[in-house]
Amino acid sequence: MLLNSFSKNKNWIKRTKRLVLVSSVFFLITNSVFGKYTLSGEVRDRADGLLISFANIQILSIDNQEIFSYTTTDSNGKYSLEVKKIGTYLVKISHINYVISKKTVKIKQLHEKIHFELEKKHEVLDEVILNFEPEVMKIRNDTINYNLKALTTGEEKTLANILDKLPGVKLNSSGLITVNGKLVEKLLVDGEELFKNQHRATTESVTAKMIEGIRYLDKYQDFGNIEGFDNKQTNALDVSIKDEYKNKVTGDFAIQLGHETKSLGKANLYRFGGRLKFGLIANANNLGKQSITSFEYDQLRGIGFDETDKNGFKIDQPTDDSPKFLDPTSDVAERTNLFGALSVIYKSSNNTKVSFLNLASNSKQKQFLINNRQFFEPTTSDQIEQRAVQSNFFLNSSIFEFGYQPTEKSFLEYSVNFNPQNTTENFAINNTTISQTSNVSQIQENRQYSLDQRLSYLTRIGEKTLLKTTGVMVLEDTARELKIAASTPVFLLQDELSLAQNQITNRTLYGYQLQAVSKFKKEKLHLAHGTIFSNSQFKNVVGVSTQFNNFFISDRIDSYVTLSYDGRVSKRLKYRGVLGYKFISLRRFNQTSTNNIWQPSVKLDYKISNSKSVDFRYSYDTTLPIDEQLNSAKIVRDYFSLRLPSRLVSDQLLPRHSFNLFYSSYKNTTGNTFSTFVNYNYAPVFLTFENSIEENATITSANIIGSNQKELSLGLRFNKRFKSKLGVFSNFNSFYSEEENSISGIPNKSTTSIFKNKGGIYSRFRKGVNFNLGLDLEIIEYTSSLLEITNKAIATKPYLVFNGNLLEKKVLWSIGGEYANYKTDLDETNVINIYPKVTYEINDNFEISIEGNNILNIDNAEITRNFNTINYSESSVVDTLEGYIVFGLYYRL
């Protein structure tokens, strides 16, 4: 029995061993096939051992041809990524300030831990720490890291509020961001430029609680940069997002309601982290708040080759102004805005990226004003005009981009930009002069679109040469319709009481560009060649009246060669010399003309230290008048003004010299900033107008060539912070222009000078009450030699703002006031604006608020405005946006 029992146990042991063996083999097989292996660790500086954040890590095949996985180190220099099977791989680590490192590693267990070290690039300067009890920012090579804990008070709501606290960082009302006076080209949020150059919308939609850190990169290398070259190098402000807001949908919603149906609704939704990122911004309000500025609109409609290319060729652009509704200073009685923007970015792998941005805005406005004009003529005439205007503006922009980088040596990129726009304005006008009174109805409609497509391919040839090929095609179409009906004959058209004008402009443009860059030690030689073919048509028709009919067809060929050389005299002094040659063949009015143009430029960069630099630039450029400026018959601008036949020569070149000098510095011990610039432009000939007044008080103008246009602008900005948490600042700008033209055939010399300064004192206490006290001053003076006219306008705006918090920052409050005095030669206006705001945070998700603006003028908002030109002086009584008080509810995801 015992023997039988032993025999049974022995068999059980054998079966158990076989089961364990089979299970082990099965586990290894399934794990090899279906399991994931983790590689993690840290990346440090080889010299000082400091952890390196935002380093790029790729796991490649051993032959460097296939990418299996990629990631970036977090703010603590740590990384973690996965591969599907064991084996030998090539790991590549790169960072903008370090030499690229490649290392062969063997992954043979589920969790491998490997640390890496990087070596600093030799051409960058050593690290400089700026101490400011506590340290406010750290400058490392070409990167500035801001210490948000030391710079903010905890009362900030949005990214825009935080940027306002950073030394040297400025976000203006047009959407421009500058760092120490230098324009920021890209605003990155979680490593991506979600809404491209719509910086103002981005900064107002990203909440302060999402933000982990902010840094400025002077040499940021975007997706598609070829290793060893800087073809995608630019500067950027990089905003990192906290991990808790990544890999999920986050954002906020708000609604505000107030007196007389005043309201605002908005939604901001984001998804950060991972391969798929998106952002959604939606806003609707009748408070008069703008959704997009003129600068942002022009950026969306950029046409030409690669705008960031230092040698890229740019086409002469139409000179029409951006839509008036984009001007935030327009005097309007009512304004309703609808705005939406959707951005999606998907990186299917480390070498493929697809992005889509759609932005739409619709604005409705009402204006009411009374104008009193006095004309400067031998026989003085006056005009009183009552005007009511209703306007509707719609614009849209859709941008699709695809980038593919199969290897480190090549990059393929395709983009398409579609921009439709529709503008309608209805005018009801009562016009009274010495001789007559008339009622005028005017309707203006403008429909246009542009379609811009680009395809480019970059490839590296050997180790020292980069070749780029680009093709572009642009289609533009504009249709303008103007209808005028009046109780008296208009524009000297005999007995005609109405007028209907139609303008159509079409342009087709296509071409190519070839570029080659070769490196020689630390120098670069850049050669660019391209040819652009364009055809444009302009047609203007007014009924059967031949005196208003225009029709032009222009065929143009631009061929160019640009040679540039980047070098350095020393480690601190760099230079760039550019010599461009352009050949233009132009056919207009059945005549062909050719022009040969040389375009030199030079740039010097001197880095005094890591915190002080000087830049100098000179460039020479030329433009040609566009078809609309060459009209051979009259064109109606509006019921009040006519454009007479042009006096321009069809192939008239307009040359221009530009000089720029810029200096910036940081103080090493405090974080104080200082920058100054001088810009001087000189045009020996330029496009201007000859103006005159007809008997019926109609202003007529004709395109003519002026001479000796000189423009000088000066600027100075400084921000000094004290250890007591107080600071003083000043933003000073001065502009002077001088030019010569003619009025009614009589020579005239005019000058314009503008002086602006906004400065004051502020506090940044983390507890208690903070304040901002200052003065905003603007002085504009105009002189004309023809009639010895001098017009002067002064705007003086002292302001004071207090803000603080209660109940451990659950209650945030602010109250500000501005007293504005507008004084001209004709009149003087005083305005007091009070703008309070209180928010109460109920919990982490909900918040309630009360907000007001111009609360002393809730029911009656009316100011006097004065405007002076060389032809007439104008005094206006204008209805402006009424003040408001609104109650709001805020919800955060």
Side-chain angles (χ1 to χ4, degrees):
M1 183 177 291
L2 183 60
L3 183 61
N4 291 336
S5 177
F6 175 78
S7 178
K8 290 180 180 180
N9 289 337
K10 186 177 180 180
N11 293 333
W12 179 84
I13 292 173
K14 287 181 179 180
R15 287 196 300 269
T16 303
K17 286 182 177 180
R18 285 197 296 268
L19 180 60
V20 171
L21 179 61
V22 172
S23 300
S24 299
V25 172
F26 177 78
F27 174 77
L28 289 174
I29 293 174
T30 55
N31 197 50
S32 298
V33 176
F34 303 106
K36 292 184 179 180
Y37 296 84
T38 302
L39 178 66
S40 62
E42 299 174 345
V43 179
R44 293 181 178 271
D45 187 303
R46 180 170 297 172
D48 54 26
L50 293 177
L51 291 165
I52 301 173
S53 58
F54 307 109
N56 299 307
I57 302 176
Q58 300 177 12
I59 294 185
L60 310 168
S61 59
I62 199 66
D63 60 359
N64 197 24
Q65 295 299 313
E66 186 176 358
I67 299 174
F68 294 112
S69 185
Y70 78 97
T71 188
T72 59
T73 57
D74 60 20
S75 58
N76 296 318
K78 299 182 185 298
Y79 76 92
S80 178
L81 40 72
E82 297 177 342
V83 293
K84 293 184 177 180
K85 59 183 179 179
I86 61 176
T88 302
Y89 297 91
L90 181 67
V91 178
K92 175 185 173 184
I93 309 98
S94 61
H95 190 278
I96 186 173
N97 297 325
Y98 292 86
V99 178
I100 293 175
S101 175
K102 295 179 181 178
K103 185 176 180 179
T104 301
V105 300
K106 290 184 178 180
I107 298 178
K108 52 188 177 181
Q109 57 186 5
L110 286 176
H111 301 289
E112 292 279 2
K113 199 161 191 176
I114 302 177
H115 304 306
F116 299 98
E117 292 182 343
L118 298 182
E119 182 180 349
K120 292 180 184 175
K121 290 181 180 177
H122 297 298
E123 63 268 22
V124 296
L125 299 176
D126 293 333
E127 177 183 5
V128 176
I129 303 297
L130 304 185
N131 298 312
F132 184 68
E133 296 185 351
E135 162 189 314
V136 296
M137 56 184 188
K138 179 189 294 185
I139 301 179
R140 185 183 183 87
N141 306 321
D142 296 297
T143 301
I144 302 176
N145 282 285
Y146 298 96
N147 184 344
L148 300 187
K149 186 175 181 180
L151 291 167
T152 59
T153 62
E155 299 176 358
E156 297 78 18
K157 290 292 185 182
T158 64
L159 172 59
N161 299 145
I162 293 180
L163 294 183
D164 186 54
K165 305 289 181 65
L166 304 186
V169 180
K170 174 75 174 175
L171 171 64
N172 68 13
S173 58
S174 297
L176 287 165
I177 299 179
T178 57
V179 174
N180 302 314
K182 191 173 184 179
L183 180 65
V184 172
E185 297 182 50
K186 289 183 178 291
L187 175 61
L188 306 176
V189 181
D190 193 30
E192 296 289 352
E193 190 185 25
L194 275 174
F195 294 103
K196 299 200 178 293
N197 37 41
Q198 305 303 296
H199 296 166
R200 190 172 56 94
T202 303
T203 59
E204 292 176 357
S205 63
V206 175
T207 62
K209 290 188 176 183
M210 296 180 182
I211 299 171
E212 176 75 24
I214 298 177
R215 60 176 182 163
Y216 170 73
L217 304 170
D218 193 49
K219 293 182 180 179
Y220 169 71
Q221 292 181 343
D222 203 356
F223 176 71
N225 193 79
I226 304 300
E227 183 178 355
F229 293 86
D230 55 2
N231 58 292
K232 284 284 186 175
Q233 182 171 289
T234 183
N235 63 38
L237 199 64
D238 185 25
V239 180
S240 58
I241 300 298
K242 296 176 182 177
D243 290 340
E244 61 191 276
Y245 293 99
K246 294 183 179 181
N247 299 309
K248 66 176 184 179
V249 177
T250 185
D252 54 65
F253 302 86
I255 184 170
Q256 294 178 319
L257 301 172
H259 177 63
E260 291 190 350
T261 68
K262 295 294 183 183
S263 62
L264 177 147
K266 66 178 182 179
N268 304 307
L269 295 175
Y270 286 99
R271 187 187 188 278
F272 301 113
R275 299 184 183 276
L276 175 65
K277 299 177 183 179
F278 74 80
L280 172 66
I281 299 175
N283 185 298
N285 77 89
N286 61 3
L287 305 180
K289 295 184 178 182
Q290 290 292 95
S291 56
I292 186 172
T293 67
S294 300
F295 169 78
E296 294 166 331
Y297 173 77
D298 292 337
Q299 293 293 304
L300 285 172
R301 297 182 66 249
I303 296 173
F305 286 108
D306 189 355
E307 297 294 334
T308 62
D309 186 349
K310 299 179 180 62
N311 296 291
F313 182 76
K314 297 183 179 180
I315 305 301
D316 297 337
Q317 296 295 306
T319 58
D320 288 346
D321 294 332
S322 298
K324 290 182 292 183
F325 76 98
L326 299 179
D327 181 6
T329 62
S330 295
D331 295 318
V332 297
E334 296 179 18
R335 177 187 287 140
T336 300
N337 274 313
L338 298 174
F339 175 78
L342 172 65
S343 175
V344 180
I345 298 176
Y346 179 61
K347 280 184 110 173
S348 59
S349 65
N350 200 39
N351 57 1
T352 304
K353 180 179 176 180
V354 179
S355 66
F356 173 75
L357 171 65
N358 178 266
L359 183 148
S361 178
N362 191 81
S363 178
K364 295 181 180 180
Q365 293 183 171
K366 290 183 179 181
Q367 294 175 287
F368 303 99
L369 62 159
I370 301 175
N371 296 322
N372 190 336
R373 300 188 180 100
Q374 181 179 5
F375 294 97
F376 305 140
E377 285 290 300
T379 302
T380 302
S381 61
D382 292 333
Q383 180 191 47
I384 299 176
E385 175 193 270
Q386 297 181 8
R387 177 182 296 199
V389 188
Q390 294 189 31
S391 311
N392 185 61
F393 309 96
F394 170 79
L395 66 87
N396 182 270
S397 183
S398 297
I399 303 173
F400 172 81
E401 294 179 335
F402 170 77
Y404 176 59
Q405 190 166 13
T407 68
E408 298 175 347
K409 299 180 180 180
S410 60
F411 180 63
L412 177 69
E413 186 174 26
Y414 170 75
S415 67
V416 57
N417 187 347
F418 179 62
N419 291 278
Q421 177 191 322
N422 189 19
T423 303
T424 303
E425 294 184 279
N426 291 273
F427 297 78
I429 303 164
N430 179 272
N431 180 37
T432 302
T433 64
I434 295 176
S435 59
Q436 65 181 10
T437 297
S438 61
N439 294 310
V440 181
S441 172
Q442 175 177 288
I443 300 175
Q444 291 179 331
E445 187 170 2
N446 182 357
R447 300 180 303 277
Q448 67 183 55
Y449 78 87
S450 65
L451 178 67
D452 184 344
Q453 295 188 82
R454 309 177 194 182
L455 178 65
S456 64
Y457 178 71
L458 291 86
T459 183
R460 193 179 74 189
I461 302 174
E463 296 296 324
K464 296 183 177 181
T465 302
L466 180 69
L467 182 65
K468 178 181 180 181
T469 305
T470 303
V472 65
M473 183 183 73
V474 178
L475 302 175
E476 290 182 314
D477 183 88
T478 302
R480 301 183 181 95
E481 185 176 0
L482 174 66
K483 296 179 180 179
I484 298 176
S487 59
T488 57
V490 293
F491 297 127
L492 308 179
L493 290 179
Q494 299 296 323
D495 298 325
E496 297 289 337
L497 299 179
S498 63
L499 178 149
Q501 175 178 272
N502 291 282
Q503 285 185 13
I504 298 176
T505 304
N506 305 107
R507 184 166 76 150
T508 303
L509 178 151
Y510 61 94
Y512 69 89
Q513 182 177 36
L514 302 175
Q515 294 177 288
V517 181
S518 295
K519 299 190 299 182
F520 304 96
K521 294 183 179 179
K522 296 182 179 180
E523 289 76 33
K524 288 183 181 178
L525 180 65
H526 193 137
L527 178 65
H529 163 68
T531 300
I532 298 173
F533 305 89
S534 61
N535 172 272
S536 59
Q537 298 183 17
F538 173 70
K539 185 177 182 180
N540 187 84
V541 178
V542 177
V544 296
S545 177
T546 57
Q547 61 178 312
F548 289 94
N549 293 346
N550 293 269
F551 183 65
F552 298 107
I553 297 179
S554 297
D555 290 298
R556 175 173 168 175
I557 301 175
D558 293 82
S559 187
Y560 62 94
V561 177
T562 303
L563 183 67
S564 67
Y565 185 79
D566 291 300
R568 59 172 64 190
V569 178
S570 65
K571 192 174 183 179
R572 298 183 183 275
L573 179 60
K574 300 179 182 179
Y575 65 90
R576 161 172 284 206
V578 180
L579 181 61
Y581 167 75
K582 188 195 309 185
F583 171 78
I584 299 177
S585 176
L586 181 65
R587 181 173 178 80
R588 283 174 174 165
F589 314 113
N590 296 321
Q591 297 179 350
T592 301
S593 61
T594 60
N595 287 284
N596 297 279
I597 307 166
W598 293 95
Q599 295 178 296
S601 67
V602 63
K603 174 186 175 183
L604 298 173
D605 293 329
Y606 181 60
K607 203 160 190 176
I608 302 172
S609 67
N610 207 34
S611 60
K612 296 180 181 180
S613 63
V614 178
D615 295 336
F616 170 78
R617 301 183 185 186
Y618 163 76
S619 62
Y620 172 81
D621 198 5
T622 59
T623 58
L624 277 165
I626 61 174
D627 292 341
E628 292 92 325
Q629 297 164 342
L630 297 172
N631 59 298
S632 58
K634 296 178 181 179
I635 292 177
V636 182
R637 302 294 294 178
D638 54 44
Y639 93 99
F640 183 55
S641 58
L642 281 175
R643 181 68 54 84
L644 300 181
S646 174
R647 300 182 187 179
L648 300 178
V649 180
S650 65
D651 60 346
Q652 175 74 59
L653 286 175
L654 306 175
R656 191 175 188 85
H657 301 268
S658 298
F659 300 84
N660 312 100
L661 181 64
F662 175 75
Y663 169 80
S664 68
S665 70
Y666 329 92
K667 196 167 182 179
N668 294 348
T669 57
T670 62
N672 296 334
T673 61
F674 176 86
S675 65
T676 183
F677 67 87
V678 180
N679 297 325
Y680 176 74
N681 298 312
Y682 171 66
V685 294
F686 69 101
L687 184 63
T688 184
F689 302 101
E690 181 179 58
N691 301 293
S692 61
I693 307 297
E694 301 291 343
E695 293 179 0
N696 65 346
T698 297
I699 294 181
T700 60
S701 61
N703 288 304
I704 62 171
I705 295 296
S707 61
N708 297 321
Q709 184 186 59
K710 303 170 184 176
E711 297 176 344
L712 177 65
S713 58
L714 306 171
L716 185 150
R717 298 182 178 90
F718 73 84
N719 191 328
K720 182 175 178 59
R721 296 159 52 88
F722 300 97
K723 294 182 180 180
S724 59
K725 298 295 184 181
L726 296 178
V728 295
F729 75 97
S730 177
N731 294 324
F732 163 78
N733 290 280
S734 179
F735 174 81
Y736 174 82
S737 70
E738 179 182 301
E739 58 189 34
E740 298 176 14
N741 60 358
S742 63
I743 304 297
S744 300
I746 303 174
N748 175 55
K749 183 176 181 179
S750 62
T751 64
T752 300
S753 60
I754 302 174
F755 171 90
K756 294 182 179 181
N757 186 55
K758 184 174 183 178
I761 183 172
Y762 62 89
S763 67
R764 291 288 187 267
F765 304 119
R766 295 193 67 83
K767 295 181 179 181
V769 177
N770 282 293
F771 69 91
N772 194 336
L773 171 65
L775 175 66
D776 192 353
L777 178 66
E778 180 180 68
I779 301 174
I780 302 176
E781 187 169 351
Y782 172 84
T783 65
S784 172
S785 65
L786 179 61
L787 298 174
E788 297 183 350
I789 299 171
T790 299
N791 293 322
K792 191 173 184 179
I794 302 174
T796 307
K797 303 176 184 178
Y799 63 89
L800 175 61
V801 180
F802 290 102
N803 63 277
N805 64 84
L806 300 169
L807 303 178
E808 297 181 347
K809 296 187 178 180
K810 286 187 174 295
V811 176
L812 302 180
W813 63 269
S814 69
I815 182 168
E818 178 186 80
Y819 172 76
N821 176 263
Y822 302 91
K823 186 176 182 180
T824 70
D825 299 323
L826 298 178
D827 212 334
E828 183 174 358
T829 302
N830 299 308
V831 177
I832 298 177
N833 182 10
I834 305 296
Y835 38 93
K837 184 176 183 180
V838 180
T839 63
Y840 173 63
E841 188 178 90
I842 301 173
N843 53 41
D844 290 340
N845 301 105
F846 285 96
E847 184 179 285
I848 57 175
S849 67
I850 178 171
E851 179 182 353
N853 185 65
N854 198 16
I855 61 175
L856 299 182
N857 295 294
I858 289 181
D859 296 316
N860 182 19
E862 187 177 271
I863 64 171
T864 299
R865 182 186 64 181
N866 297 284
F867 178 71
N868 300 303
T869 73
I870 196 168
N871 298 109
Y872 61 90
S873 292
E874 177 182 284
S875 177
S876 304
V877 178
V878 185
D879 283 359
T880 62
L881 289 170
E882 297 175 339
Y884 61 83
I885 294 179
V886 290
F887 297 88
L889 176 64
Y890 175 90
Y891 173 73
R892 182 186 302 110
L893 289 177

